[in-house]
Amino acid sequence: MAQTDKKFFENLTGAGKAIAVLTSGGDAQGMNAAVRAVVRMGIYVGAKVYFVHEGYQGMVDGGDNIKEATWESVSSMLQMGGTVIGSARCKDFRTREGRLKAAHNLVQRGITNLCVIGGDGSLTGANLFREEWSGLLAELVQQGLIDEEASQKYSALHIVGMVGSIDNDFCGTDMTIGTDSALHRIIEVVDAIMTTAQSHQRTFVLEVMGRHCGYLALVSALACGADWVLIPEMPPEDGWEEKMCQKLSATRSRGSRLNIIIVAEGAIDRHGKAITSSIVKDLVVQRLGFDTRVTILGHVQRGGTPSAFDRILASRMGVEAVLALLETTANTAACVVSLCGNQSVRLPLMECVQMVRLGQMPHRVYCSKVCWIMRSEFNSNFNVAVLNVGAPAAGMNAAVRSAVRVGISEGHKMFAVSDGFEGFYKGQIKEIKWADVGGWTGQGGSLLGTKRTLPAKHIDKIAEQMRKYNINALLMIGGFEALECLLQLCEARSSYEEFCVPLCMLPATISNNVPGTDLSIGADTALNAIVERVCVCQTCDRIKQSASGTKRRVFIIETMGGYCGYLASVGGLAAGADAAYIFEEPFDIRDLQSNVEHLTEKMKTGIQRGLVLRNENSNENYTTDFIYQLYSEEGRGVFDCRKNVLGHMQQGGAPSPFDRNFGTKIAAKAMQWITKKLNESYRKGRVFANTEDSACLLGMRRRAMVFQPVVQLKDETDFVHRIPKEQWWLKLRPLMKILAKYKTSYDISDSGQLEHVVLRRPKESEAMAAI
């Protein structure tokens, strides 16, 4: 066992501790996944875990509202929307008398650790409760409701919060639990509306939730390619009505048959006057005469099953919350578990709340510029080509659209290359204009076409095309093949000056196997295809329902990914899988037998279903058929088996909101980098760039988006198996096993540490990339 594991079991044992988990305020998809993770991680470390039903009201009322949770009591919660343990606004808890009752109910059960899942109001209430705790206990002793011994034994109350809110309006975290799922609901509606709007040449005004935060409106506008968006953080300038109508009219004049306007429910003008969806509709009708409809999405945004992202986020946060509770002391401030980039962090709860109340919303929404509305008249005389390489991935088209429009805004002439480098050497290159990429964000696959052809064999012809079209910079969007292509172009620089130009790659692959980035465009959509559409959400959720009424079943699911086990592992965490077999973690017949025995024992305790994922190249001998037959034979009399090979449907379908937004942001940032490099390398009437840092991959590394010279990534790459030598998500695998009730060790070396809230206002140039 690693040293960190020993430290975990020796110093972070939960033996003798009691943890209560509650959801308060509004509901949000993913709350149940967080509750499940808290309960199972708490039991795993030896603590007693209690449900508090109906939020703070249940804590005040006590009785059956506070019940001890068991492992089985959170089964089948992962895929459910809302909150199973209930949520309620509580006037009683706002009074000291109500908090006194709550304290008494907790002390009676020995509970001194609270995990609160809610918004800033719920978390503020928890912190006040913590601050008053010693006084409340003293009053209970005075009233004879508890004795002095109990007061001493339970003298400190520890609080850890997780933010559950679809609005994403809490400072200190990139995403709150429920936001991604709400975006899924919005985009599903928008995609559906766009078809009817196009049929009738209509304008649709959509009002989305968010209170005083415009995150849902802004990101959904980016994700659907809306014509206009109104958010409270950026009140439009006086005269916005005329500008908006001019924009809508210009869109129609270019041949578009529809307009989409997104309005945040808290949108206001410069004078603080509300801008409602009905006001916007009347404006469009009166000034343009367009057939216009209003759709107010309302509480549908809170409904439905949680997305893969929210399941994973909530599971990670729930485990992190338990670790934070176990590490607290009497002097530790209440903290909130947050997400920064791709890393868990802990922040002082009241620092975050204070920032929210000062109007410091997250994500720099207040200074983001909607770049697709802006069109620069400046002509830089630089030609930039964009192409897709390798297999298609959802979100590629959103990235191309963003690159083209930001490039045009920067003053460049943009060229599209069809069918990757195969089309490049054949001369399938043409200028692409602003209107040419309209409506691309919601399209799956690659509208430019993509091939796996590498440039090395055709380097002469590609160089010739670079000269012919005077290409001054190249943007490649693709997976592992794109990395290999970029390396080959770098090697060719010594022989061909045509490639001595800024070269940039954006990772886009469902396999998420590109070194230099934690996440790739397309991977989130593939996870949702696995979790929601195929085996776990729509199909497996139905399977669970049918299985619970018939016999116990285990489902063996094969995922794509080549030699990379990302989809199987992270999909397994999101789906609540019992096992996930991958190439990176070798397994043998003993492991398979152990997993069968584990599932058999679980089935005997009343669990009705099991789920096993297998990455397609995890082992050449232990195939999906072999595992299916083994489980079928060994589980005979206890459970039966079904198998499903998902295949290429993981690559298909419309991109998820995350991939649309990620592709848009990362491409905008790449184009700004290309512009900077073009200006730096332009000398004596030509562009010449041959340094290492002029050929980069843009990826997310832990907390930041980083441009990394591609030659420096060679040492990090296993070219034989087409995967990075080190993969961050492998640290999530023990999490999946713990939540599936395996006895395993857990490395806490990468767990969050208490930090402080730091907000930096970006420069104007950075604000463009922030979207």
Side-chain angles (χ1 to χ4, degrees):
M1 184 181 290
Q3 185 63 36
T4 50
D5 299 325
K6 290 180 180 178
K7 179 184 175 184
F8 175 76
F9 286 106
E10 290 171 5
N11 299 335
L12 294 182
T13 176
K17 294 191 175 184
I19 299 171
V21 57
L22 69 147
T23 55
S24 179
D27 64 315
Q29 307 97 317
M31 279 184 166
N32 290 321
V35 170
R36 170 181 177 270
V38 170
V39 169
R40 291 195 167 178
M41 188 64 179
I43 293 172
Y44 173 77
V45 298
K48 277 189 175 182
V49 186
Y50 291 84
F51 291 137
V52 178
H53 292 273
E54 311 307 334
Y56 287 117
Q57 190 65 56
M59 193 187 297
V60 172
D61 294 342
D64 289 340
N65 288 304
I66 306 176
K67 291 182 179 178
E68 186 173 353
T70 65
W71 196 277
E72 290 73 23
S73 63
V74 292
S75 294
S76 301
M77 282 178 64
L78 192 60
Q79 77 279 5
M80 298 179 72
T83 166
V84 170
I85 61 175
S87 179
R89 311 285 180 184
C90 180
K91 292 182 179 179
D92 292 339
F93 193 75
R94 295 176 185 174
T95 67
R96 184 175 176 84
E97 182 182 356
R99 293 192 291 275
L100 188 68
K101 290 180 181 178
H104 185 217
N105 289 327
L106 294 185
V107 170
Q108 282 183 315
R109 294 163 178 80
I111 299 170
T112 56
N113 298 278
L114 277 184
C115 183
V116 181
I117 308 167
D120 63 303
S122 302
L123 300 180
T124 302
N127 188 66
L128 175 62
F129 192 38
R130 172 185 169 276
E131 290 174 346
E132 291 183 344
W133 183 257
S134 59
L136 293 172
L137 293 195
E139 195 169 334
L140 290 172
V141 172
Q142 249 184 358
Q143 294 179 10
L145 294 174
I146 64 172
D147 56 30
E148 190 63 42
E149 183 182 351
S151 176
Q152 293 297 321
K153 185 176 180 181
Y154 307 119
S155 60
L157 180 67
H158 307 297
I159 303 286
V160 170
M162 285 184 281
V163 189
S165 167
I166 69 166
D167 301 334
N168 205 25
D169 58 353
F170 195 80
C171 188
T173 185
D174 288 350
M175 288 286 273
T176 57
I177 296 169
T179 302
D180 187 71
S181 299
L183 284 171
H184 274 256
R185 302 294 92 77
I186 294 169
I187 296 305
E188 286 166 5
V189 171
V190 174
D191 285 352
I193 279 175
M194 288 179 81
T195 57
T196 184
Q198 194 162 21
S199 299
H200 297 277
Q201 296 191 63
R202 282 178 178 153
T203 295
F204 269 88
V205 182
L206 283 88
E207 182 179 304
V208 302
M209 286 179 138
R211 293 192 302 174
H212 304 297
C213 179
Y215 182 85
L216 288 178
L218 180 62
V219 175
S220 59
L222 284 170
C224 72
D227 296 281
W228 203 265
V229 61
L230 293 157
I231 60 175
E233 293 86 349
M234 287 180 60
E237 298 177 358
D238 292 342
W240 65 271
E241 299 92 340
E242 185 62 32
K243 290 180 180 178
M244 183 186 74
C245 289
Q246 287 175 358
K247 176 67 169 63
L248 299 179
S249 182
T251 301
R252 289 291 179 96
S253 67
R254 290 195 296 268
S256 177
R257 293 175 57 87
L258 76 157
N259 298 111
I260 299 292
I261 302 168
I262 307 289
V263 182
E265 64 178 348
I268 55 174
D269 64 17
R270 289 291 173 95
H271 308 287
K273 182 181 177 182
I275 302 175
T276 65
S277 52
S278 60
I279 289 174
V280 175
K281 176 199 171 182
D282 292 342
L283 183 68
V284 174
V285 172
Q286 290 167 11
R287 298 202 181 188
L288 297 175
F290 290 173
D291 185 5
T292 306
R293 299 288 189 273
V294 171
T295 299
I296 299 174
L297 298 186
H299 283 74
V300 70
Q301 294 159 89
R302 295 187 183 277
T305 59
S307 65
F309 182 95
D310 274 328
R311 299 183 191 203
I312 296 161
L313 173 66
S315 297
R316 291 177 67 184
M317 296 300 97
V319 169
E320 187 68 32
V322 172
L323 294 178
L325 281 172
L326 296 182
E327 291 178 347
T328 55
T329 66
N331 299 319
T332 304
C335 76
V336 60
V337 178
S338 302
L339 179 74
C340 184
N342 196 34
Q343 188 175 11
S344 300
V345 296
R346 303 174 194 171
L347 297 169
L349 190 155
M350 291 314 295
E351 281 188 21
C352 298
V353 170
Q354 189 68 16
M355 286 291 186
V356 172
R357 292 181 177 175
L358 289 173
Q360 299 291 338
M361 291 298 180
H363 312 287
R364 300 173 294 194
V365 169
Y366 50 82
C367 63
S368 296
K369 302 297 182 184
V370 186
C371 68
W372 72 87
I373 295 174
M374 300 169 58
R375 295 189 67 177
S376 173
E377 297 301 322
F378 175 69
N379 186 357
S380 68
N381 292 319
F382 289 131
N383 295 343
V384 180
V386 57
L387 71 160
N388 294 334
V389 180
M396 276 183 163
N397 296 320
V400 171
R401 171 184 177 273
S402 177
V404 168
R405 292 195 168 181
V406 173
I408 292 172
S409 293
E410 295 279 341
H412 308 314
K413 184 181 284 188
M414 300 298 297
F415 288 84
V417 181
S418 300
D419 297 332
F421 280 101
E422 184 173 316
F424 209 136
Y425 82 80
K426 290 178 179 178
Q428 297 172 203
I429 305 167
K430 66 177 182 179
E431 186 178 355
I432 187 166
K433 301 291 186 67
W434 188 278
D436 295 336
V437 292
W440 280 34
T441 52
Q443 299 294 315
S446 167
L447 292 176
L448 287 184
T450 182
K451 301 276 186 169
R452 297 181 183 272
T453 306
L454 301 181
K457 292 182 180 180
H458 311 282
I459 204 72
D460 288 336
K461 292 181 180 178
I462 294 171
E464 182 183 337
Q465 297 297 336
M466 293 282 286
R467 285 194 302 274
K468 178 179 177 181
Y469 290 92
N470 190 28
I471 302 299
N472 305 122
L474 198 59
L475 177 64
M476 285 169 279
I477 303 169
F480 201 89
E481 289 90 354
L483 176 72
E484 293 177 307
C485 291
L486 188 50
L487 286 169
Q488 289 181 4
L489 294 184
C490 287
E491 291 174 4
R493 279 177 164 180
S494 59
S495 304
Y496 300 89
E497 287 191 357
E498 289 80 2
F499 302 117
C500 294
V501 296
L503 305 171
C504 187
M505 173 194 162
L506 303 182
T509 168
I510 69 166
S511 302
N512 201 31
N513 63 332
V514 178
T517 187
D518 290 351
L519 297 172
S520 300
I521 299 167
D524 183 74
T525 303
L527 282 175
N528 279 289
I530 294 168
V531 173
E532 293 179 9
R533 299 180 189 172
V534 186
C535 67
V536 181
C537 221
Q538 293 182 2
T539 302
C540 251
D541 286 352
R542 292 176 196 147
I543 286 167
K544 291 174 197 174
Q545 292 166 13
S546 65
S548 63
T550 55
K551 59 174 64 176
R552 301 180 182 95
R553 287 185 181 145
V554 174
F555 292 86
I556 316 294
I557 309 293
E558 182 182 300
T559 66
M560 293 180 78
Y563 286 97
C564 181
Y566 175 82
L567 289 179
S569 296
V570 181
L573 178 61
D578 296 280
Y581 301 118
I582 63 171
F583 169 78
E584 293 91 342
E585 200 171 276
F587 58 97
D588 57 24
I589 193 66
R590 290 182 294 272
D591 297 307
L592 293 171
Q593 183 63 36
S594 175
N595 294 149
V596 172
E597 292 171 357
H598 176 79
L599 268 168
T600 301
E601 289 302 312
K602 282 182 66 176
M603 295 293 180
K604 289 178 179 178
T605 65
I607 301 296
Q608 296 293 322
R609 67 103 193 172
L611 177 64
V612 175
L613 301 183
R614 177 188 176 273
N615 173 243
E616 59 183 349
N617 288 344
S618 57
N619 189 291
E620 62 180 348
N621 295 313
Y622 300 130
T623 63
T624 302
D625 284 336
F626 177 90
I627 293 173
Y628 164 70
Q629 290 168 4
L630 175 67
Y631 273 71
S632 296
E633 180 62 30
E634 295 298 316
R636 192 184 298 275
V638 180
F639 59 81
D640 64 1
C641 287
R642 297 288 185 272
K643 68 175 178 178
N644 191 351
V645 179
L646 301 185
H648 283 77
M649 70 180 307
Q650 294 158 87
Q651 288 182 331
S656 68
F658 181 93
D659 279 328
R660 299 185 196 195
N661 187 35
F662 187 46
T664 299
K665 290 193 296 185
I666 200 172
K669 194 173 184 70
M671 286 307 303
Q672 287 194 316
W673 177 87
I674 284 174
T675 298
K676 180 183 176 184
K677 289 296 179 183
L678 284 169
N679 290 326
E680 289 175 354
S681 58
Y682 185 72
R683 297 289 184 275
K684 298 179 180 180
R686 59 170 293 193
V687 173
F688 187 84
N690 67 347
T691 56
E692 282 189 359
D693 66 352
S694 65
C696 286
L697 177 147
L698 173 57
M700 175 184 282
R701 283 233 155 148
R702 294 170 71 86
R703 301 190 184 193
M705 300 297 298
V706 183
F707 288 96
Q708 300 149 98
V710 68
V711 293
Q712 295 179 12
L713 295 176
K714 292 170 73 173
D715 292 338
E716 301 180 23
T717 307
D718 176 353
F719 285 96
V720 174
H721 298 102
R722 299 162 60 86
I723 56 175
K725 290 180 180 177
E726 292 186 10
Q727 304 193 78
W728 68 272
W729 52 265
L730 286 170
K731 293 182 179 180
L732 299 181
R733 284 183 61 79
L735 216 89
M736 182 193 73
K737 293 177 181 177
I738 288 170
L739 298 180
K741 209 175 183 178
Y742 283 89
K743 298 292 184 183
T744 186
S745 59
Y746 182 60
D747 185 349
I748 64 165
S749 59
D750 199 39
S751 62
Q753 302 299 317
L754 191 64
E755 302 177 11
H756 293 280
V757 180
V758 177
L759 277 182
R760 178 179 67 87
R761 285 186 176 271
K763 299 175 183 176
E764 189 74 9
S765 60
E766 293 173 323
M768 285 284 290
I771 67 167

